[in-house]
C-alpha cells in the first residue's frame, strides 16, 4: 500500500502531470470565478481535451481544475454574494456580510485557508478509507439517504433566523419547487404547465444565482454605493488575519471538514446537506451564535472548510463501486471509463496508485491555488470598494451567463430572473431565503428515497441501525434548535422589557 | 419589485406581508388543487407539502390579523406576543439576527418610487434586450448606457469596460469552452 | 469494456432489407449517379464556410455527449464545413431537443444525435410532449447501437429462469429501473412480462449507477441496462450479467445467451421488436424535408467519418465502441421496428407513458 502511495505521488509530480495540473488550475481559476459555470460545467466541457491521455494526467487536469473551481467560486461568493453552486451557498451567508463590513480581505484569507485545510481533510479521508471503502459505501442505501435528507431539512429551522413560521413556509415552497417535473413514480409531469423545459425540474443553479445574486445587484443599483459601503475604511487589511483565524478556530474548521468528508460520501444528498450541517453545527457550538448571518468568522470558516472537504468525500463511492456522489464526480466517472479504468476493486488493487494519485492531486492543487491566489486577494478585495454602478453591468452578465451555461437555454435565464424577484421580495419584507433554497435542493431527493425505501423494504427499513442512528441525531438537532430559539427569544424579551422599564 | 413602497413604516411592511401571505396561500391552494388530478403516489408529496404549507400560511395570516387588530404600544420596540408560539419572534423590526439581510431590507425599504422606477426600467431594458437581440448586442448597449447615465463614467472607461467584458466572454465562451451565448429571438449578430 | 470495440453492425442483425428492394434501389441509384453526383458536389459546397451545429440532447460530460463530440470532431472536416460544433440541449429526456430538430429549418446546419430507441418508445407510447415522427427524420447514420443486457447482483443465486421462478415463489422478484417512461423502465417492464413470475418494477432510481449500487447491495434481483453500463458494473463487482436482451448472441460476449432462448417461445415477437428498437441506438439525423442531395452530402460525410482510421482509433482509445450503420439502413431499421411492432408491445409502451 505504501508503494502505491509513493508511486501515486511520483506520478503526480512528473513534469507532464504537473504541467497539465497547472493548466487545469489556471482554467479552473478563471472559470471558477463565474457562478454556475465553475464546477461541473467547466469539467464537462474540458473532458474532451483529456481524450487519449493516460489516467493520471486526466485526473491531474480535471481534478486539479475541479478543486480550484470550488475555491475560486468562494471568492465570488464572498465578494459579490453570488454562490457558484448550490453546494456552496453557505459561504455567502457569512462571507458576504464580512465583505460588506469592509472585511473582504479577512474573509477571503479565511475562506482560502479553510478551503485548503478542508481539502486536505477530505483527501485524507479518501486515503484512509481505502481499506474499508466498499463495506462503508454499501452500508448506505435509500433508507439512509432518506434519513439524511430529513436531517438536512431540520436545518430549515435554524436557517430561519428566528422567524420559524416564515422559515417553514419558505421551506415548504422550496420543497414544492423541487417537485416540479416528471415524477419518478407515475411519470406525471407535475406543475409543468405544458412546458417541456420543466420536465426535468427546475435547475438549482439558476435558482441559487437568482435568489442570492438578484438582490445583491438590485441593492447596488438602488444604493449606488460600493459593496463595502461608504462607512467602511478604504484600507484593505486582514488577509493575513483571515489566514490566522483559520488556525485560531482550527476546531471549527476541522469539524466542518470532517462533516464535509463524511457526509459528502453519500451520493446525491451529501454535498448539499453537508454545508448546512457543518454551518448549523458551527452555529450551535459557537460562542457567538448571534453573529451568524451577520459576518461571523466561524460561520465562514465552517462553510469554507466543509466545501472542499466534501469533494474528497464524494470521490469515495465513485472509486468504490462506480456510484458518483455529485454532478462533478459523475463527469469524473466518465473520465474514468474513457481512460479505460474501472471503478471498483481494480481501483483498490491493480490501480491503487491512481486512487492515491487522486488524493495527492487534491492536496497539491489546493496548495498551489492558495499560493497563486494570495497575491490576488488584495486587488480582488478592492473590488468591494468600487462604486456600485460600475459593477452592475458586469454582475448582470455574470448572473445571466451563469444561469444560461448549464443547459444553454433562455428558459433558465427566466428562472434566474424569477428567483431574483423572489429574493428581493423576501428581503424587502423580511422573509428568510435560505430555507427556500434548502427545500429546493432536498425536496425531490427526499421523496425519491422515501418511495425507494418503501418499495424496496416495505416498512422494515425503519429498523435499519443506521436509520435509527440518523433518526436520533435528527431528533437531537431538532430539540437543540428549539431550545436555542426559545432561549434566544426569552433572553431578548427580557432585554427589551428591561429597556422599556429603564 | 413593487414600486409602491414609501418609507419603512410598520404599516407598509405589513402591507407587503399581506400580499406575500395571500400570494403564498394562492400558490399552496393551487398546488393542492393541481395535485388532485394525479395518481396517489405521484400526488402524495405535493399534496402533503401544499396542505402543510397552506396551514402555515393561514397561521401567518392569523398572525397578521392579530397584529393589525391589537394596538401596538408605540414605545415598545418589540411588538411581541402576537400570534402563535414561536413566530412571535419574527415580528420584531430590525431583528438583531438579521445582519446583512437587514441591511438589504433597509436599502429596499428606503428607496422611493422614483428610484425603484429607474432601477426596474434598467432591468427591464436589459432583459428585453437579451430576449430580443441576444447578449452580444445587449452587452455593449446596456453597459455603455448604464455606465454613462448612472455611473457617470467617461467614454474611455465605457470603451475599456465593454472591450474587457466582451473580450473575457469571447475568450472563455468561444475559445475555451465553445459554449453558445444567449441569442435573441431576432438575432442581429452571429448566425 | 475491452473487446467490445467497433464491429460491423451489419453482421448479426435481423433487419436486412428485402433483397428485391435493395436491387431495385441499387439500379435506381446507378441510374442517377452522374446527375446526383454532380448536384451533390454543388450541394456539398454549401457547407463550405458554414458552421454546422450538432445537437446533443443531454448534458455535456456524459456518455452520449462523448459520442456527439467524437463525431463532430471528424465529421466537420469530411463535410467540408468551416466548423462543426456540439450544442448540448438537455431537457425532458431528449424530447425537448428532438422536438426542436423536428421543427428546425431543414438546411442541414442543425443536425442531432438522437437517442432513437428512446424516441421510438416515446412516440409509440403516446408520451405527452412528443411532436415528431421518428420515421420522418432524415437519418444520416447510426453511431452506436449496443444491445441491452440483463444483470443480477454479484452474490445473487440467480443463474437461470428457474432460479427466478423459485424466488418468485417465495417473494416478489424486484426489477430496478429509473423513472417511468425511461428506456430502462420499458425494458424492465418487458423483463417482468417475460419471466412470468410475481415481480415488481421498482422505479425512482436516479440512473444506472444507482441501480447497480442497489444490485450490489442485494436490494434488487434484476436490472436491464446497456451492455457497456453492465460491463462497468461487472468490473465494479456490483453486477453479474446473465443474458442479452435480444434474439442473437453479442459477438464481443459470446457466452451470454440471448433472452429469446431463455424464456418461453411465445415472447419471441416481443423480444425481437425490442431488440430492433434498441438497435436503432444513437443515430444522427437532420430535420425532415431536407433536400435529398444535401442529405446525401451529410450521409456521405458521415460514412467517410465512421470509416476513417482516425475516428475508429479514437473510439477504441476512448472505450466508446461504435457500430456504424448507414443512414439508409437506419431509416429502414426504424421503419421495420415501428411498423412491425406487435400490439402487446404497443400496449406496454402505452402503459409506460400515459397515465
Amino acid at each position: 500500500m505504501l508503494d502505491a502511495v509513493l508511486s501515486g505521488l511520483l506520478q503526480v509530480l512528473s513534469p507532464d502531470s504537473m504541467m497539465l495540473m497547472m493548466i487545469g488550475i489556471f482554467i479552473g481559476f478563471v472559470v471558477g470565478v463565474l457562478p454556475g459555470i465553475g464546477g461541473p460545467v467547466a469539467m464537462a466541457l474540458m473532458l474532451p481535451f483529456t481524450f487519449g491521455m493516460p489516467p493520471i494526467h486526466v485526473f491531474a487536469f480535471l481534478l486539479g481544475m475541479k478543486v480550484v473551481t470550488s475555491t475560486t467560486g468562494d471568492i465570488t461568493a464572498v465578494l459579490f454574494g453570488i454562490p457558484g453552486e448550490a453546494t456552496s451557498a453557505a459561504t455567502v451567508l457569512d462571507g458576504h456580510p464580512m465583505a460588506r463590513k469592509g472585511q473582504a480581505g479577512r474573509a477571503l484569507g479565511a475562506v482560502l485557508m479553510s478551503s485548503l485545510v478542508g481539502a486536505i481533510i477530505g483527501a485524507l479521508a479518501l486515503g484512509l478509507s481505502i481499506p474499508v471503502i466498499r463495506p462503508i459505501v454499501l452500508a448506505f442505501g435509500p433508507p439512509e439517504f432518506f434519513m439524511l435528507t430529513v436531517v438536512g431539512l431540520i436545518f430549515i429551522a435554524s436557517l430561519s433566523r428566528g422567524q420559524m413560521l416564515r422559515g417553514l413556509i419558505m421551506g415548504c415552497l422550496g420543497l414544492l419547487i423541487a417537485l416540479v417535473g416528471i415524477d419518478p413514480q407515475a411519470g406525471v409531469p407535475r406543475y409543468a404547465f405544458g412546458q417541456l423545459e420543466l420536465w426535468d425540474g427546475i435547475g438549482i443553479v439558476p435558482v441559487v444565482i437568482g435568489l442570492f445574486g438578484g438582490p445583491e445587484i438590485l441593492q447596488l443599483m438602488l444604493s449606488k454605493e460600493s459593496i463595502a459601503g461608504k462607512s467602511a475604511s478604504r484600507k484593505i487589511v486582514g488577509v493575513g488575519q483571515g489566514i490566522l483565524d483559520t488556525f485560531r478556530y482550527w476546531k471549527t474548521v476541522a469539524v466542518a471538514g470532517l462533516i464535509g468528508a463524511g457526509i459528502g460520501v453519500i451520493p446525491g444528498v451529501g454535498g448539499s446537506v453537508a454545508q448546512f450541517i457543518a454551518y448549523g453545527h458551527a452555529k450551535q457550538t459557537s460562542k457567538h451564535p448571534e453573529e451568524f448571518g451577520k459576518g461571523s468568522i466561524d460561520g465562514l470558516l465552517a462553510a469554507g472548510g466543509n466545501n472542499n472537504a466534501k469533494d474528497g468525500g464524494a470521490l469515495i463511492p465513485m472509486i468504490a463501486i462506480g456510484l458518483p456522489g455529485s454532478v462533478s464526480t459523475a463527469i469524473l466517472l466518465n473520465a474514468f471509463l474513457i481512460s479505460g479504468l474501472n471503478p471498483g476493486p481494480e481501483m483498490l488493487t491493480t490501480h491503487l496508485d491512481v486512487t492515491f494519485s487522486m488524493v495527492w492531486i487534491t492536496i497539491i492543487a489546493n496548495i498551489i491555488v492558495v499560493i497563486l491566489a494570495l497575491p490576488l486577494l488584495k486587488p480582488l478585495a478592492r473590488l468591494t470598494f468600487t462604486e456600485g454602478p460600475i459593477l452592475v453591468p458586469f454582475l448582470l452578465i455574470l448572473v445571466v451567463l451563469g444561469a444560461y451555461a448549464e443547459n444553454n437555454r433562455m428558459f433558465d435565464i427566466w428562472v434566474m430572473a424569477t428567483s431574483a424577484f423572489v429574493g428581493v421580495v423576501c428581503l424587502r419584507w423580511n422573509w428568510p431565503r435560505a430555507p427556500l433554497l434548502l427545500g429546493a435542493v432536498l425536496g425531490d431527493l427526499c421523496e425519491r428515497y422515501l418511495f425507494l425505501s418503501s418499495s424496496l423494504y416495505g416498512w422494515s427499513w425503519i429498523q435499519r441501525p443506521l436509520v435509527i442512528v440518523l433518526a436520533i441525531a435528527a431528533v437531537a438537532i431538532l430539540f437543540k434548535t428549539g431550545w436555542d430559539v426559545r432561549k434566544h427569544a426569552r433572553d431578548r424579551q427580557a432585554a427589551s422589557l428591561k429597556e422599556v422599564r429603564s | 419589485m413593487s414600486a409602491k413602497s414609501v418609507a419603512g413604516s410598520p404599516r407598509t411592511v405589513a402591507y407587503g406581508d399581506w400580499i406575500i401571505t395571500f400570494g403564498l396561500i394562492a400558490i399552496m391552494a393551487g398546488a393542492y388543487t393541481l395535485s388532485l388530478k394525479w395518481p396517489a403516489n405521484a400526488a402524495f408529496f405535493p399534496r402533503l407539502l401544499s396542505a402543510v404549507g397552506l396551514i402555515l400560511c393561514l397561521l401567518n395570516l392569523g398572525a397578521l390579523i392579530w397584529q393589525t387588530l391589537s394596538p401596538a404600544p408605540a414605545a415598545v420596540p418589540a411588538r411581541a406576543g402576537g400570534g402563535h408560539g414561536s413566530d412571535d419572534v419574527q415580528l420584531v423590526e430590525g431583528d438583531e439576527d438579521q445582519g446583512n439581510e437587514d441591511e438589504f431590507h433597509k436599502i429596499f425599504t428606503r428607496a422611493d418610487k422614483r428610484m425603484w422606477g429607474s432601477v426596474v426600467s434598467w432591468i427591464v431594458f436589459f432583459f428585453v434586450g437579451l430576449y430580443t437581440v441576444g447578449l452580444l448586442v445587449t452587452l455593449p448597449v446596456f453597459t455603455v448606457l448604464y455606465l454613462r447615465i448612472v455611473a457617470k463614467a467617461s467614454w474611455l472607461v465605457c470603451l475599456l469596460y465593454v472591450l474587457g467584458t466582451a473580450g473575457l466572454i469571447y475568450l472563455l465562451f468561444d475559445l475555451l469552452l465553445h459554449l453558445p451565448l444567449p441569442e435573441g429571438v431576432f438575432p442581429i449578430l452571429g448566425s | 469494456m475491452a473487446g467490445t470495440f467497433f464491429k460491423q453492425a451489419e453482421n448479426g442483425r435481423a433487419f436486412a432489407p428485402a433483397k428485391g428492394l435493395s436491387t431495385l434501389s441499387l439500379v435506381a441509384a446507378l441510374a442517377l449517379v452522374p446527375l446526383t453526383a454532380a448536384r451533390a458536389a454543388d450541394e456539398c459546397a454549401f457547407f463550405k464556410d458554414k458552421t454546422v451545429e450538432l445537437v446533443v440532447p443531454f448534458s455535456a460530460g456524459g456518455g452520449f455527449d462523448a459520442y456527439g463530440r467524437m463525431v463532430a470532431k471528424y465529421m466537420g472536416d469530411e463535410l467540408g464545413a468551416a466548423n462543426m460544433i456540439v450544442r448540448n440541449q438537455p431537457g425532458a429526456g431528449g424530447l425537448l431537443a428532438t422536438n426542436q430538430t423536428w421543427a428546425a429549418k431543414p438546411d442541414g446546419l442543425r443536425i442531432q444525435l438522437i437517442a432513437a430507441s428512446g424516441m421510438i418508445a416515446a412516440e409509440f407510447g403516446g408520451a405527452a410532449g412528443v411532436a415528431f415522427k421518428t420515421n420522418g427524420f432524415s437519418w444520416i447514420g447510426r453511431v452506436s447501437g449496443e444491445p441491452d443486457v440483463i444483470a443480477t447482483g454479484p452474490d445473487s443465486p440467480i443463474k437461470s429462469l428457474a432460479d427466478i421462478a423459485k424466488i418468485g415463489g417465495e417473494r416478489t422478484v424486484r426489477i430496478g429501473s429509473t423513472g417511468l417512461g425511461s428506456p430502462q423502465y420499458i425494458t424492465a417492464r418487458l423483463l417482468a412480462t417475460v419471466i412470468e413470475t410475481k415481480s415488481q418494477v421498482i422505479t425512482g432510481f436516479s440512473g444506472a449507477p444507482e441501480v447497480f449500487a442497489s444490485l450490489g447491495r442485494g436490494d434488487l434481483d434484476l436490472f436491464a441496462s446497456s451492455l457497456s453500463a453492465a460491463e462497468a458494473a461487472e468490473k465494479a463487482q456490483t453486477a453479474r450479467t446473465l443474458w442479452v436482451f435480444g434474439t442473437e448472441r453479442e459477438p464481443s460476449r459470446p457466452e451470454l445467451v440471448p433472452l429469446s432462448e431463455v424464456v418461453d417461445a411465445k415472447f419471441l415477437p416481443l423480444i425481437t421488436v425490442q431488440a430492433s428498437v434498441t438497435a436503432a441506438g444513437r443515430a444522427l439525423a437532420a430535420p425532415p424535408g431536407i433536400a435529398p442531395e444535401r442529405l446525401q452530402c451529410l450521409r456521405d460525410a458521415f460514412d467517410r467519418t465512421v470509416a476513417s482510421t482516425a475516428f475508429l482509433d479514437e473510439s477504441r482509445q476512448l472505450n466508446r465502441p461504435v457500430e456504424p450503420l448507414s443512414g439508409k439502413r437506419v431509416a429502414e431499421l426504424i421503419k421495420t421496428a415501428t411498423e412491425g411492432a406487435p400490439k402487446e408491445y404497443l400496449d406496454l409502451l402505452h402503459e409506460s407513458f400515459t397515465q
Side-chain angles (χ1 to χ4, degrees):
Chain A
M1 183 141 158
L2 215 62
D3 286 358
V5 176
L6 268 176
S7 142
L9 178 63
L10 287 176
Q11 292 183 66
V12 173
L13 290 178
S14 80
D16 285 357
S17 18
M18 282 308 281
M19 185 67 195
L20 281 165
M21 197 199 293
M22 290 308 289
I23 298 173
I25 287 174
F26 177 74
I27 295 171
F29 205 100
V30 181
V31 177
V33 175
L34 308 172
I37 302 169
V41 177
M43 281 177 77
L45 294 166
M46 287 294 128
L47 184 66
F49 290 97
T50 67
F51 288 179
M53 289 183 195
I56 291 189
H57 290 181
V58 174
F59 297 127
F61 179 67
L62 281 182
L63 198 58
M65 186 164 70
K66 163 67 192 147
V67 298
V68 173
T69 57
S70 293
T71 306
T72 51
D74 281 350
I75 295 180
T76 319
V78 167
L79 291 180
F80 305 122
I82 309 172
E85 283 178 75
T87 49
S88 60
T91 315
V92 175
L93 299 180
D94 279 296
H96 189 57
M98 285 182 75
R100 293 184 60 83
K101 284 197 263 178
Q103 300 181 0
R106 183 181 175 199
L108 288 178
V111 88
L112 197 66
M113 204 60 208
S114 59
S115 293
L116 173 60
V117 175
I120 292 175
I121 293 174
L124 289 180
L126 170 62
L128 293 174
S129 70
I130 283 170
V132 284
I133 199 166
R134 275 177 71 88
I136 289 185
V137 171
L138 288 175
F140 285 87
E144 286 78 21
F145 299 162
F146 167 72
M147 277 316 294
L148 199 79
T149 61
V150 173
V151 172
L153 286 175
I154 287 173
F155 284 93
I156 283 182
S158 69
L159 285 171
S160 300
R161 303 183 296 121
Q163 306 177 314
M164 196 64 85
L165 183 60
R166 291 179 178 196
L168 292 176
I169 295 175
M170 293 315 271
C172 275
L173 186 66
L175 287 163
L176 278 171
I177 288 173
L179 298 183
V180 172
I182 297 268
D183 104 279
Q185 305 304 319
V188 193
R190 296 188 296 199
Y191 307 126
F193 307 103
Q195 297 287 315
L196 280 184
E197 278 96 343
L198 284 173
W199 277 23
D200 289 342
I202 292 176
I204 195 73
V205 170
V207 171
V208 180
I209 292 178
L211 209 53
F212 287 90
E216 180 66 39
I217 294 173
L218 206 75
Q219 175 274 125
L220 285 176
M221 292 176 91
L222 281 172
S223 73
K224 300 197 178 135
E225 283 176 7
S226 68
I227 290 172
K230 274 181 192 148
S231 52
S233 91
R234 294 193 64 89
K235 220 175 133 209
I236 298 151
V237 285
V239 172
Q241 198 194 338
I243 292 172
L244 285 180
D245 283 330
T246 308
F247 297 104
R248 199 147 59 91
Y249 294 95
W250 65 271
K251 256 193 210 158
T252 311
V253 179
V255 171
L258 288 174
I259 291 175
I263 296 175
V265 172
I266 294 156
V269 197
S272 17
V273 179
Q275 57 173 342
F276 292 114
I277 295 185
Y279 186 78
H281 178 267
K283 185 175 179 180
Q284 289 185 340
T285 51
S286 167
K287 286 190 190 107
H288 305 285
E290 73 283 355
E291 277 178 17
F292 274 65
K294 286 204 299 187
S296 155
I297 187 77
D298 359 359
L300 176 64
L301 288 169
N306 168 76
N307 194 20
N308 285 25
K310 71 173 171 24
D311 293 340
L315 287 173
I316 292 175
M318 198 261 288
I319 292 171
I321 60 168
L323 179 59
S326 62
V327 189
S328 314
T329 32
I331 292 157
L332 271 184
L333 175 67
N334 223 348
F336 256 83
L337 300 175
I338 282 177
S339 52
L341 285 176
N342 293 289
E346 267 181 32
M347 293 306 296
L348 311 174
T349 52
T350 36
H351 295 303
L352 191 60
D353 55 335
V354 179
T355 308
F356 276 109
S357 80
M358 297 173 86
V359 174
W360 287 116
I361 289 163
T362 309
I363 295 175
I364 295 172
N366 266 291
I367 293 174
I368 292 177
V369 76
V370 168
I371 295 170
L372 284 180
L374 268 180
L376 292 175
L377 292 188
K378 262 195 178 183
L380 282 170
R382 201 159 284 137
L383 282 176
T384 59
F385 297 98
T386 315
E387 270 177 83
I390 290 277
L391 291 174
V392 166
F394 179 69
L395 291 180
L396 264 176
I397 288 160
L398 220 57
V399 293
V400 161
L401 289 180
Y404 184 78
E406 195 186 9
N407 294 325
N408 307 325
R409 59 185 191 198
M410 210 63 187
F411 185 82
D412 287 334
I413 295 182
W414 304 127
V415 171
M416 185 274 294
T418 313
S419 312
F421 174 73
V422 173
V424 171
V425 169
C426 279
L427 287 176
R428 169 64 181 79
W429 282 286
N430 262 326
W431 286 65
R433 318 171 266 187
L436 179 79
L437 175 66
L438 190 57
V441 167
L442 290 178
D444 51 336
L445 294 168
C446 183
E447 181 192 35
R448 219 158 51 74
Y449 287 124
L450 177 64
F451 275 110
L452 265 182
S453 303
S454 70
S455 44
L456 283 173
Y457 306 99
W459 282 107
S460 70
W461 63 266
I462 295 174
Q463 299 158 13
R464 286 163 70 104
L466 270 168
V467 170
I468 296 172
V469 170
L470 283 167
I472 293 171
V475 172
I477 296 167
L478 195 63
F479 268 105
K480 175 85 168 97
T481 313
W483 178 261
D484 286 352
V485 168
R486 246 182 104 79
K487 186 165 162 279
H488 193 52
R490 218 181 282 155
D491 287 356
R492 207 173 25 199
Q493 210 163 1
S496 68
L497 277 178
K498 219 189 226 166
E499 212 172 280
V500 173
R501 281 194 198 116
S502 61
Chain B
M1 274 169 244
S2 152
K4 284 177 188 159
S5 53
V6 199
S9 77
R11 280 225 167 265
T12 36
V13 173
Y15 149 81
D17 279 338
W18 287 105
I19 294 183
I20 296 173
T21 310
F22 278 118
L24 284 169
I25 287 176
I27 289 175
M28 296 294 174
Y32 190 86
T33 321
L34 283 174
S35 75
L36 293 175
K37 281 184 269 172
W38 306 330
N41 49 1
F44 175 73
F45 252 70
R47 216 174 284 170
L48 178 76
L49 286 170
S50 50
V52 171
L54 191 60
I55 294 168
L56 292 171
C57 287
L58 289 173
L59 280 178
N60 196 51
L61 184 68
L64 285 179
I65 293 172
W66 176 279
Q67 201 187 331
T68 322
L69 292 181
S70 63
V76 183
R79 284 168 292 138
H84 303 264
S86 58
D87 73 313
D88 53 345
V89 190
Q90 76 179 61
L91 305 169
V92 182
E93 265 297 293
D95 191 323
E96 56 166 282
D97 266 353
Q98 287 159 17
N100 181 53
E101 307 219 338
D102 192 37
E103 219 176 287
F104 277 45
H105 170 72
K106 272 185 204 145
I107 292 168
F108 291 151
T109 317
R110 279 188 199 138
D112 59 23
K113 256 186 204 174
R114 206 179 49 80
M115 283 161 81
W116 275 108
S118 112
V119 165
V120 170
S121 348
W122 277 112
I123 289 177
V124 168
F125 170 67
F126 179 80
F127 280 103
V128 168
L130 196 65
Y131 178 68
T132 49
V133 290
L135 186 76
L136 282 177
V137 181
T138 311
L139 166 73
V141 175
F142 177 85
T143 307
V144 169
L145 285 179
Y146 191 83
L147 289 183
R148 284 296 296 169
I149 296 171
V150 180
K152 308 251 175 344
S154 66
W155 282 107
L156 183 67
V157 170
C158 291
L159 184 73
L160 290 177
Y161 199 110
V162 170
L163 286 181
T165 12
L168 188 73
I169 290 173
Y170 173 73
L171 269 178
L172 280 176
F173 279 75
D174 219 69
L175 281 185
L176 190 65
L177 302 174
H178 301 290
L179 269 179
L181 292 170
E183 278 167 21
V185 281
F186 312 113
I188 296 178
L189 293 175
S191 56
Chain C
M1 242 174 274
T4 58
F5 303 134
F6 70 97
K7 54 185 187 284
Q8 283 309 306
E10 318 268 334
N11 61 18
R13 292 285 171 208
F15 331 94
K19 198 154 188 205
L21 185 77
S22 78
T23 320
L24 195 71
S25 48
L26 188 70
V27 172
L30 279 175
L32 287 171
V33 156
L35 193 61
T36 321
R39 230 188 282 157
D42 278 356
E43 277 299 319
C44 295
F46 163 82
F47 288 102
K48 199 167 171 276
D49 303 327
K50 295 265 183 3
T51 295
V52 182
E53 221 173 40
L54 193 158
V55 174
V56 168
F58 296 99
S59 299
F64 207 94
D65 182 58
Y67 278 104
R69 285 176 196 271
M70 225 162 67
V71 172
K73 188 170 164 187
Y74 296 100
M75 193 172 154
D77 287 343
E78 294 289 354
L79 193 59
N83 221 337
M84 188 181 268
I85 57 163
V86 170
R87 184 183 180 117
N88 297 91
Q89 229 177 359
L95 287 184
L96 192 71
T98 313
N99 280 347
Q100 284 186 19
T101 301
W102 176 260
K105 197 172 154 201
D107 55 5
L109 294 182
R110 177 190 166 111
I111 57 177
Q112 188 192 327
L113 191 60
I114 294 182
S117 42
M119 296 302 108
I120 294 171
E123 183 193 340
F124 285 84
V130 172
F132 55 82
K133 300 237 176 300
T134 324
N135 220 344
F137 279 106
S138 312
W139 294 99
I140 298 166
R142 182 184 77 177
V143 185
S144 84
E146 57 174 343
D148 282 341
V149 294
I150 295 142
T152 184
D155 309 319
S156 153
I158 297 174
K159 288 201 172 57
S160 64
L161 191 65
D163 296 334
I164 299 179
K166 203 175 136 213
I167 296 176
E170 294 158 15
R171 59 169 173 83
T172 318
V173 174
R174 301 196 194 103
I175 305 170
S177 157
T178 51
L180 232 80
S182 66
Q184 276 133 348
Y185 181 75
I186 292 154
T187 37
R189 282 291 304 271
L190 282 166
L191 188 58
T193 311
V194 301
I195 58 175
E196 295 188 287
T197 184
K198 197 171 66 177
S199 63
Q200 183 195 0
V201 176
I202 293 179
T203 61
F205 288 97
S206 63
E210 208 175 80
V211 188
F212 280 121
S214 257
L215 211 57
R217 220 176 278 125
D219 291 343
L220 293 171
D221 298 306
L222 297 169
F223 177 46
S225 80
S226 70
L227 176 65
S228 57
E231 288 186 327
E234 277 180 324
K235 300 254 169 61
Q237 291 184 7
T238 53
R240 178 161 54 81
T241 310
L242 293 167
W243 307 300
V244 179
F245 206 121
T247 52
E248 276 159 52
R249 281 179 199 258
E250 167 66 25
S252 67
R253 297 288 300 268
E255 80 281 9
L256 298 178
V257 179
L259 187 65
S260 59
E261 291 171 24
V262 178
V263 299
D264 195 293
K266 69 180 173 210
F267 295 117
L268 186 65
L270 214 52
I271 295 171
T272 311
V273 68
Q274 173 64 15
S276 57
V277 168
T278 312
R282 296 158 171 179
L284 209 56
I290 187 172
E293 295 83 6
R294 203 169 289 175
L295 177 61
Q296 198 53 49
C297 275
L298 288 164
R299 282 179 171 180
D300 291 345
F302 176 80
D303 291 344
R304 285 197 299 273
T305 307
V306 292
S308 71
T309 18
F311 177 81
L312 293 174
D313 279 349
E314 180 150 334
S315 128
R316 205 169 325 166
Q317 206 175 23
L318 302 184
N319 299 300
R320 297 281 158 195
V322 292
E323 287 180 82
L325 201 60
S326 72
K328 240 171 102 197
R329 290 293 308 277
V330 175
E332 284 160 3
L333 193 71
I334 288 170
K335 202 156 173 259
T336 328
T338 53
E339 283 172 0
K343 188 179 170 297
E344 205 185 349
Y345 184 72
L346 294 176
D347 287 347
L348 191 133
L349 287 184
H350 267 280
E351 276 170 45
S352 307
F353 282 101
T354 43
Q355 304 83 39

